[in-house]
Amino acid sequence: MDTYRLASESDLNIAQDALRDAPLDGSMVMAIKPRGSKSDRQRGLQWRLYRAIAKSGMGSSDTPEEVDLDCKWLFRNIWLADDDFRLAIYQYVCSEYPERKKEWVKNELHTEQLNVSQMSEFLTSIYNYYGAHGIELPTPEDDLLERFETNT
């Protein structure tokens, strides 16, 4: 898949040429979207943090996916604080099916449900908790530096 970043008239001309050359048989899809939003960058940082935590050997979570569940479990109040309905369901599961509450968190809480502010709180909680346990975590600036070094 080709991606065209529009930063100049020349970039626009190249993208227009590619569009003109595309077949008109329905086999191609064109998407025009803003370059990564703040929440896209947050999501990228989230998975870099998960990989670092998984590599650290702390606890029993050896994969980023396992760390994802650990973080959802540890910081589930971020989802529950502003959603009375979700909180009521969670409390019901905890009282009626306590052995299934972690499974409920795994299946029902997703970071895509968080707004930018909540996601910021979630990432800050990860930094505070795992940083206090001595794990060296990547920062947003690390990603910018890596992209700069790759493009030079």
Side-chain angles (χ1 to χ4, degrees):
M1 178 168 82
D2 295 329
T3 301
Y4 301 94
R5 294 193 192 276
L6 304 179
S8 69
E9 192 70 32
S10 174
D11 293 342
L12 179 60
N13 291 334
I14 292 168
Q16 288 173 334
D17 289 343
L19 182 58
R20 262 190 233 89
D21 295 339
L24 299 176
D25 61 4
S27 63
M28 302 286 290
V29 175
M30 181 182 82
I32 298 175
K33 63 180 187 172
R35 196 170 144 219
S37 70
K38 189 173 190 178
S39 59
D40 287 338
R41 291 191 306 272
Q42 287 176 322
R43 199 172 347 280
L45 177 59
Q46 166 194 353
W47 285 96
R48 287 197 322 278
L49 292 172
Y50 289 171
R51 285 190 295 275
I53 294 164
K55 285 181 184 178
S56 76
M58 178 184 163
S60 61
S61 298
D62 297 327
T63 68
E65 292 76 15
E66 291 171 337
V67 174
D68 178 49
L69 176 56
D70 290 345
C71 289
K72 288 176 187 176
W73 177 252
L74 286 168
F75 312 119
R76 62 193 176 278
N77 288 337
I78 296 170
W79 280 267
L80 302 175
D82 298 327
D83 190 333
D84 293 338
F85 181 71
R86 185 176 281 137
L87 176 61
I89 293 172
Y90 175 72
Q91 290 172 333
Y92 174 78
V93 169
C94 288
S95 66
E96 298 297 317
Y97 308 98
E99 71 285 355
R100 298 186 70 186
K101 60 187 174 186
K102 199 161 187 178
E103 178 185 349
W104 183 87
V105 167
K106 176 182 180 180
N107 294 326
E108 299 299 326
L109 302 185
H110 308 283
T111 55
E112 291 78 16
Q113 298 163 331
L114 301 177
N115 61 36
V116 173
S117 175
Q118 291 168 320
M119 188 66 174
S120 179
E121 181 181 354
F122 182 68
L123 294 172
T124 299
S125 297
I126 292 171
Y127 275 109
N128 291 341
Y129 180 82
Y130 288 97
H133 286 84
I135 296 177
E136 188 173 330
L137 298 171
T139 66
E141 293 79 19
D142 293 338
D143 182 50
L144 292 173
L145 181 60
E146 182 178 307
R147 280 192 266 161
F148 174 76
E149 290 172 345
T150 301
N151 291 326
T152 56

